[in-house]
Amino acid sequence: MIIRSILFYVLLGMWTIFMGIICLPYLFIPFGFLRKPICFWIKGAFFLIKVTCGITYEVRGAKNIPKKAVIVVSKHQSTFETFVLFYHINNSIFIHKKQLFFIPIFGQYLKKINMIPIDRKGGASTMKIMLQQTKEKLKNGFSIIIFPEGTRKKPGDIPKYKSGFTGIYKESKTDILPVAVNSGNCWPKQMFIKKQGHIIIEFMNVIPSGLDRQAIFEKVQNIIEKKTEEIN
């Protein structure tokens, strides 16, 4: 698996550079045209990790993905679910740390497709700006993908959910789509070596707007953690 993992990263790097170069014209036209090339790049990544590392995946509960804009609150164990969520949820964007914008090629495309950056050290003023941007995106029909623990977690780690998503939920009066994953079994946190296996991404029933902040916090955490435990 060491050799296979090296091969995967080499091929993924080549694929990323190739797609990044040939798609440069998309940086100069409306961002809506860029989604299909990005999904094509993601599909290539799925193929590469399957043939090099023997990692396959399935999506469960796809029928639960609504056509309207929602707040997608997902367990985060690896990079893999970022690919899957963007690929399977139409008009979806992430809230992510602003440092990702500085990654060559990749960062330029993040900017183009209107991802929402956040400076974790920016304090209350930064959070206020992020909340306003998020409300505008939701109003314009974009689903917002949030990882409530703020970072990747290893399977079995004690959950440490942050309450940021509850503020967005309350202010925007938008439904929440909870997501459970087991990707950490194949793509472990802070480990170069991949593990052959099958990844499950499960979309659960939408939680409607209208609950108070404490109730939605507890409900989302309980639902996601229970399902994550079941599929791990």
Side-chain angles (χ1 to χ4, degrees):
M1 289 306 296
I2 294 176
I3 295 174
R4 289 186 175 203
S5 297
I6 292 173
L7 181 59
F8 166 68
Y9 278 114
V10 169
L11 293 175
L12 181 62
M14 294 171 62
W15 175 238
T16 301
I17 292 171
F18 172 74
M19 286 295 296
I21 292 173
I22 68 170
C23 290
L24 282 174
Y26 284 91
L27 295 177
F28 304 98
I29 60 177
F31 69 89
F33 293 97
L34 188 55
R35 183 174 178 86
K36 284 187 177 180
I38 291 176
C39 286
F40 184 67
W41 172 79
I42 292 173
K43 194 171 183 179
F46 291 156
F47 173 77
L48 290 175
I49 201 167
K50 179 180 179 180
V51 298
T52 58
C53 299
I55 296 175
T56 57
Y57 87 98
E58 69 172 298
V59 169
R60 295 178 181 176
K63 67 180 186 302
N64 293 324
I65 302 175
K67 293 182 179 180
K68 66 177 183 178
V70 292
I71 303 166
V72 182
V73 181
S74 176
K75 189 70 176 177
H76 194 22
Q77 294 184 351
S78 79
T79 304
F80 192 83
E81 56 267 14
T82 63
F83 296 165
V84 175
L85 294 175
F86 186 85
Y87 186 83
H88 286 277
I89 302 174
N90 291 329
N91 294 327
S92 57
I93 55 178
F94 291 89
I95 295 177
H96 62 79
K97 57 185 180 182
K98 71 173 186 177
Q99 288 82 358
L100 294 182
F101 279 158
F102 304 127
I103 299 175
I105 301 176
F106 183 77
Q108 301 306 307
Y109 287 100
L110 283 181
K111 285 184 179 180
K112 183 63 181 180
I113 56 177
N114 285 334
M115 297 294 184
I116 302 172
I118 183 170
D119 183 355
R120 294 175 180 173
K121 299 179 181 179
S125 60
T126 300
M127 292 299 295
K128 186 177 180 179
I129 293 172
M130 182 274 292
L131 179 58
Q132 183 59 40
Q133 290 178 334
T134 302
K135 289 171 65 176
E136 290 177 3
K137 299 295 184 186
L138 286 165
K139 185 178 179 180
N140 290 329
F142 290 93
S143 290
I144 307 297
I145 301 171
I146 301 173
F147 299 117
E149 294 175 278
T151 186
R152 292 166 293 171
K153 291 288 185 177
K154 295 179 181 179
D157 277 356
I158 297 174
K160 294 183 179 179
Y161 284 57
K162 297 177 174 62
S163 61
F165 74 92
T166 65
I168 298 172
Y169 170 81
K170 181 180 178 180
E171 291 293 325
S172 65
K173 298 179 175 59
T174 305
D175 299 347
I176 285 180
L177 175 64
V179 184
V181 307
N182 72 346
S183 55
N185 294 328
C186 300
W187 192 320
K189 176 185 177 182
Q190 297 176 339
M191 284 187 64
F192 175 82
I193 303 172
K194 305 294 175 282
K195 298 180 180 180
Q196 183 175 353
H198 189 63
I199 293 175
I200 297 170
I201 311 290
E202 183 154 352
F203 296 96
M204 289 163 283
N205 292 326
V206 166
I207 302 173
S209 60
L211 298 178
D212 63 48
R213 294 183 66 158
Q214 186 60 33
I216 192 61
F217 181 87
E218 293 176 357
K219 189 175 183 69
V220 166
Q221 177 170 310
N222 291 339
I223 288 174
I224 293 177
E225 290 304 312
K226 181 180 180 181
K227 182 58 66 174
T228 296
E229 185 177 348
E230 288 178 7
I231 63 179
N232 270 280

